[in-house]
Each structure stands twice: as C-alpha cells, then as structure tokens.
Short mmCIF file of all heavy atoms in Angstrom, two decimals:
data_model
loop_
_atom_site.label_atom_id
_atom_site.label_comp_id
_atom_site.label_asym_id
_atom_site.label_seq_id
_atom_site.Cartn_x
_atom_site.Cartn_y
_atom_site.Cartn_z
N GLY A 240 -122.13 -60.89 49.30
CA GLY A 240 -121.81 -59.49 49.56
C GLY A 240 -121.21 -59.30 50.93
O GLY A 240 -120.23 -58.57 51.11
N LEU A 241 -121.77 -59.97 51.93
CA LEU A 241 -121.26 -59.88 53.29
C LEU A 241 -119.83 -60.41 53.36
O LEU A 241 -118.95 -59.79 53.97
CB LEU A 241 -122.17 -60.68 54.24
CG LEU A 241 -121.73 -60.75 55.70
CD1 LEU A 241 -121.78 -59.36 56.34
CD2 LEU A 241 -122.62 -61.71 56.47
N SER A 242 -119.60 -61.54 52.71
CA SER A 242 -118.25 -62.11 52.75
C SER A 242 -117.24 -61.21 52.06
O SER A 242 -116.09 -61.11 52.49
CB SER A 242 -118.23 -63.51 52.14
OG SER A 242 -118.44 -63.46 50.74
N SER A 243 -117.65 -60.53 51.00
CA SER A 243 -116.71 -59.64 50.30
C SER A 243 -116.38 -58.41 51.15
O SER A 243 -115.29 -57.85 51.03
CB SER A 243 -117.26 -59.23 48.93
OG SER A 243 -118.38 -58.40 49.07
N LEU A 244 -117.31 -58.00 52.02
CA LEU A 244 -117.01 -56.89 52.94
C LEU A 244 -115.87 -57.23 53.88
O LEU A 244 -115.16 -56.35 54.36
CB LEU A 244 -118.25 -56.52 53.76
CG LEU A 244 -119.40 -55.86 53.01
CD1 LEU A 244 -120.59 -55.66 53.94
CD2 LEU A 244 -118.96 -54.54 52.41
N PHE A 245 -115.71 -58.52 54.15
CA PHE A 245 -114.64 -58.98 55.03
C PHE A 245 -113.39 -59.38 54.23
O PHE A 245 -112.48 -60.01 54.78
CB PHE A 245 -115.11 -60.15 55.89
CG PHE A 245 -116.07 -59.73 56.96
CD1 PHE A 245 -117.44 -59.74 56.72
CD2 PHE A 245 -115.62 -59.29 58.19
CE1 PHE A 245 -118.34 -59.34 57.70
CE2 PHE A 245 -116.49 -58.88 59.17
CZ PHE A 245 -117.86 -58.90 58.93
N GLY A 246 -113.37 -59.04 52.95
CA GLY A 246 -112.19 -59.27 52.12
C GLY A 246 -112.02 -60.68 51.61
O GLY A 246 -110.96 -61.04 51.13
N SER A 247 -113.06 -61.50 51.68
CA SER A 247 -112.96 -62.88 51.21
C SER A 247 -112.94 -62.91 49.69
O SER A 247 -113.81 -62.36 49.03
CB SER A 247 -114.15 -63.70 51.73
OG SER A 247 -114.13 -64.98 51.17
N THR A 248 -111.93 -63.58 49.13
CA THR A 248 -111.85 -63.68 47.67
C THR A 248 -112.56 -64.92 47.15
O THR A 248 -112.87 -65.01 45.97
CB THR A 248 -110.38 -63.70 47.20
OG1 THR A 248 -109.71 -64.78 47.87
CG2 THR A 248 -109.70 -62.38 47.50
N ASP A 249 -112.82 -65.90 48.02
CA ASP A 249 -113.58 -67.08 47.58
C ASP A 249 -115.01 -67.02 48.09
O ASP A 249 -115.76 -67.98 47.98
CB ASP A 249 -112.91 -68.38 48.02
CG ASP A 249 -113.08 -68.68 49.49
OD1 ASP A 249 -113.40 -67.76 50.27
OD2 ASP A 249 -112.90 -69.85 49.87
N TYR A 250 -115.40 -65.85 48.61
CA TYR A 250 -116.76 -65.62 49.10
C TYR A 250 -117.18 -66.68 50.12
O TYR A 250 -118.26 -67.22 50.06
CB TYR A 250 -117.76 -65.52 47.94
CG TYR A 250 -117.38 -64.44 46.97
CD1 TYR A 250 -116.84 -64.75 45.74
CD2 TYR A 250 -117.54 -63.10 47.31
CE1 TYR A 250 -116.47 -63.74 44.85
CE2 TYR A 250 -117.17 -62.10 46.44
CZ TYR A 250 -116.64 -62.43 45.22
OH TYR A 250 -116.28 -61.43 44.35
N TRP A 251 -116.30 -66.98 51.04
CA TRP A 251 -116.53 -67.93 52.12
C TRP A 251 -117.05 -69.27 51.61
O TRP A 251 -117.99 -69.84 52.13
CB TRP A 251 -117.45 -67.36 53.17
CG TRP A 251 -116.86 -66.25 53.98
CD1 TRP A 251 -115.53 -65.93 54.10
CD2 TRP A 251 -117.55 -65.31 54.78
NE1 TRP A 251 -115.38 -64.86 54.91
CE2 TRP A 251 -116.59 -64.45 55.35
CE3 TRP A 251 -118.88 -65.10 55.06
CZ2 TRP A 251 -116.94 -63.41 56.18
CZ3 TRP A 251 -119.22 -64.06 55.90
CH2 TRP A 251 -118.25 -63.24 56.45
N GLY A 252 -116.46 -69.76 50.56
CA GLY A 252 -116.77 -71.11 50.08
C GLY A 252 -117.55 -71.18 48.78
O GLY A 252 -117.66 -72.24 48.19
N PHE A 253 -118.09 -70.06 48.32
CA PHE A 253 -118.88 -70.13 47.09
C PHE A 253 -118.03 -70.09 45.82
O PHE A 253 -118.47 -70.48 44.77
CB PHE A 253 -119.91 -68.98 47.03
CG PHE A 253 -121.08 -69.18 47.96
CD1 PHE A 253 -121.21 -68.42 49.10
CD2 PHE A 253 -122.03 -70.14 47.69
CE1 PHE A 253 -122.29 -68.60 49.97
CE2 PHE A 253 -123.11 -70.33 48.53
CZ PHE A 253 -123.23 -69.56 49.67
N GLY A 254 -116.81 -69.61 45.90
CA GLY A 254 -115.93 -69.59 44.74
C GLY A 254 -116.06 -68.32 43.92
O GLY A 254 -116.60 -67.32 44.39
N PRO A 255 -115.54 -68.33 42.66
CA PRO A 255 -115.59 -67.15 41.80
C PRO A 255 -117.03 -66.65 41.62
O PRO A 255 -117.96 -67.44 41.52
CB PRO A 255 -115.01 -67.65 40.47
CG PRO A 255 -114.22 -68.86 40.82
CD PRO A 255 -114.89 -69.46 42.02
N PHE A 256 -117.18 -65.33 41.54
CA PHE A 256 -118.51 -64.72 41.58
C PHE A 256 -119.49 -65.29 40.57
O PHE A 256 -120.60 -65.68 40.93
CB PHE A 256 -118.42 -63.20 41.41
CG PHE A 256 -119.78 -62.55 41.51
CD1 PHE A 256 -120.36 -62.34 42.75
CD2 PHE A 256 -120.49 -62.20 40.37
CE1 PHE A 256 -121.62 -61.77 42.85
CE2 PHE A 256 -121.74 -61.63 40.47
CZ PHE A 256 -122.31 -61.41 41.71
N TRP A 257 -119.14 -65.35 39.30
CA TRP A 257 -120.14 -65.79 38.31
C TRP A 257 -120.48 -67.26 38.45
O TRP A 257 -121.61 -67.67 38.19
CB TRP A 257 -119.69 -65.45 36.89
CG TRP A 257 -119.76 -63.96 36.71
CD1 TRP A 257 -118.71 -63.11 36.60
CD2 TRP A 257 -120.94 -63.15 36.73
NE1 TRP A 257 -119.16 -61.81 36.52
CE2 TRP A 257 -120.53 -61.80 36.60
CE3 TRP A 257 -122.30 -63.40 36.85
CZ2 TRP A 257 -121.42 -60.74 36.57
CZ3 TRP A 257 -123.19 -62.35 36.82
CH2 TRP A 257 -122.75 -61.04 36.68
N ASP A 258 -119.54 -68.06 38.88
CA ASP A 258 -119.85 -69.46 39.17
C ASP A 258 -120.83 -69.56 40.33
O ASP A 258 -121.75 -70.37 40.32
CB ASP A 258 -118.59 -70.25 39.54
CG ASP A 258 -117.81 -70.72 38.33
OD1 ASP A 258 -118.33 -70.60 37.21
OD2 ASP A 258 -116.68 -71.20 38.53
N ASN A 259 -120.62 -68.71 41.35
CA ASN A 259 -121.48 -68.87 42.51
C ASN A 259 -122.91 -68.44 42.27
O ASN A 259 -123.81 -68.91 42.94
CB ASN A 259 -120.88 -68.23 43.77
CG ASN A 259 -120.68 -66.75 43.66
OD1 ASN A 259 -121.51 -66.05 43.14
ND2 ASN A 259 -119.56 -66.28 44.16
N VAL A 260 -123.17 -67.60 41.28
CA VAL A 260 -124.56 -67.29 40.93
C VAL A 260 -125.24 -68.56 40.42
O VAL A 260 -126.36 -68.88 40.80
CB VAL A 260 -124.64 -66.15 39.89
CG1 VAL A 260 -126.05 -65.97 39.38
CG2 VAL A 260 -124.11 -64.84 40.49
N GLY A 261 -124.53 -69.32 39.59
CA GLY A 261 -125.05 -70.60 39.12
C GLY A 261 -125.21 -71.61 40.23
O GLY A 261 -126.19 -72.34 40.29
N ILE A 262 -124.24 -71.64 41.13
CA ILE A 262 -124.30 -72.55 42.28
C ILE A 262 -125.51 -72.21 43.15
O ILE A 262 -126.25 -73.10 43.57
CB ILE A 262 -122.99 -72.50 43.10
CG1 ILE A 262 -121.86 -73.14 42.29
CG2 ILE A 262 -123.15 -73.17 44.45
CD1 ILE A 262 -120.46 -72.87 42.83
N LEU A 263 -125.72 -70.93 43.40
CA LEU A 263 -126.88 -70.50 44.21
C LEU A 263 -128.18 -70.92 43.55
O LEU A 263 -129.10 -71.38 44.22
CB LEU A 263 -126.85 -68.98 44.41
CG LEU A 263 -125.74 -68.45 45.30
CD1 LEU A 263 -125.70 -66.94 45.23
CD2 LEU A 263 -125.89 -68.94 46.72
N PHE A 264 -128.27 -70.75 42.24
CA PHE A 264 -129.48 -71.17 41.53
C PHE A 264 -129.68 -72.67 41.66
O PHE A 264 -130.79 -73.14 41.95
CB PHE A 264 -129.43 -70.76 40.05
CG PHE A 264 -130.65 -71.20 39.30
CD1 PHE A 264 -131.82 -70.46 39.36
CD2 PHE A 264 -130.65 -72.39 38.58
CE1 PHE A 264 -132.97 -70.89 38.70
CE2 PHE A 264 -131.79 -72.82 37.92
CZ PHE A 264 -132.95 -72.07 37.97
N CYS A 265 -128.61 -73.44 41.47
CA CYS A 265 -128.72 -74.90 41.55
C CYS A 265 -129.11 -75.36 42.95
O CYS A 265 -129.96 -76.24 43.10
CB CYS A 265 -127.41 -75.55 41.12
SG CYS A 265 -127.06 -75.43 39.36
N LEU A 266 -128.50 -74.76 43.98
CA LEU A 266 -128.85 -75.12 45.35
C LEU A 266 -130.32 -74.81 45.64
O LEU A 266 -131.04 -75.63 46.20
CB LEU A 266 -127.96 -74.37 46.35
CG LEU A 266 -126.52 -74.81 46.48
CD1 LEU A 266 -125.73 -73.79 47.29
CD2 LEU A 266 -126.42 -76.19 47.10
N SER A 267 -130.76 -73.61 45.24
CA SER A 267 -132.12 -73.15 45.55
C SER A 267 -133.17 -73.91 44.73
O SER A 267 -134.14 -74.43 45.30
CB SER A 267 -132.24 -71.65 45.28
OG SER A 267 -131.32 -70.94 46.04
N PHE A 268 -132.98 -73.95 43.43
CA PHE A 268 -133.92 -74.68 42.58
C PHE A 268 -133.89 -76.16 42.93
O PHE A 268 -134.94 -76.82 42.98
CB PHE A 268 -133.61 -74.47 41.09
CG PHE A 268 -134.46 -75.32 40.20
CD1 PHE A 268 -135.76 -74.96 39.93
CD2 PHE A 268 -133.96 -76.50 39.66
CE1 PHE A 268 -136.57 -75.77 39.12
CE2 PHE A 268 -134.75 -77.30 38.85
CZ PHE A 268 -136.06 -76.93 38.59
N GLY A 269 -132.70 -76.69 43.17
CA GLY A 269 -132.56 -78.10 43.51
C GLY A 269 -133.32 -78.48 44.76
O GLY A 269 -133.90 -79.57 44.84
N ALA A 270 -133.34 -77.58 45.75
CA ALA A 270 -134.10 -77.84 46.98
C ALA A 270 -135.58 -78.02 46.66
O ALA A 270 -136.23 -78.94 47.16
CB ALA A 270 -133.90 -76.71 47.97
N LEU A 271 -136.10 -77.16 45.81
CA LEU A 271 -137.53 -77.26 45.45
C LEU A 271 -137.79 -78.43 44.51
O LEU A 271 -138.83 -79.08 44.59
CB LEU A 271 -138.00 -75.94 44.85
CG LEU A 271 -137.97 -74.79 45.86
CD1 LEU A 271 -138.21 -73.46 45.18
CD2 LEU A 271 -138.99 -75.02 46.96
N PHE A 272 -136.82 -78.72 43.64
CA PHE A 272 -136.93 -79.90 42.78
C PHE A 272 -137.00 -81.15 43.63
O PHE A 272 -137.82 -82.05 43.40
CB PHE A 272 -135.74 -79.97 41.80
CG PHE A 272 -135.71 -81.23 41.00
CD1 PHE A 272 -136.54 -81.39 39.91
CD2 PHE A 272 -134.85 -82.26 41.35
CE1 PHE A 272 -136.52 -82.57 39.17
CE2 PHE A 272 -134.81 -83.44 40.62
CZ PHE A 272 -135.66 -83.59 39.52
N GLY A 273 -136.14 -81.23 44.65
CA GLY A 273 -136.14 -82.37 45.56
C GLY A 273 -137.45 -82.49 46.31
O GLY A 273 -137.98 -83.59 46.50
#
C-alpha cells in the first residue's frame, strides 16, 4: 500500500498485486516453516 502511494506499479519489487499476496504468504509461512 505504501509503495502504491508513491506510484510504484511493481510495488517496489513484489510484482503484480495478486501474485504478491501469494509471495507474502510464502515468505511469512516459509519463515515459520524454516
């Protein structure tokens, strides 16, 4: 959300919005899995 306020279309590295929800889940769950 912060990155979109600054007009970022790739959300400062996260990519397209729906993909990045999955990426966020994988990063977060993966940290706890590890």
Side-chain angles (χ1 to χ4, degrees):
L241 177 65
S242 70
S243 68
L244 290 175
F245 288 92
S247 174
T248 56
D249 75 341
Y250 303 106
W251 290 343
F253 286 108
F256 182 79
W257 290 110
D258 278 350
N259 62 41
V260 172
I262 290 167
L263 291 171
F264 179 82
C265 289
L266 287 169
S267 301
F268 173 78
L271 294 170
F272 173 78

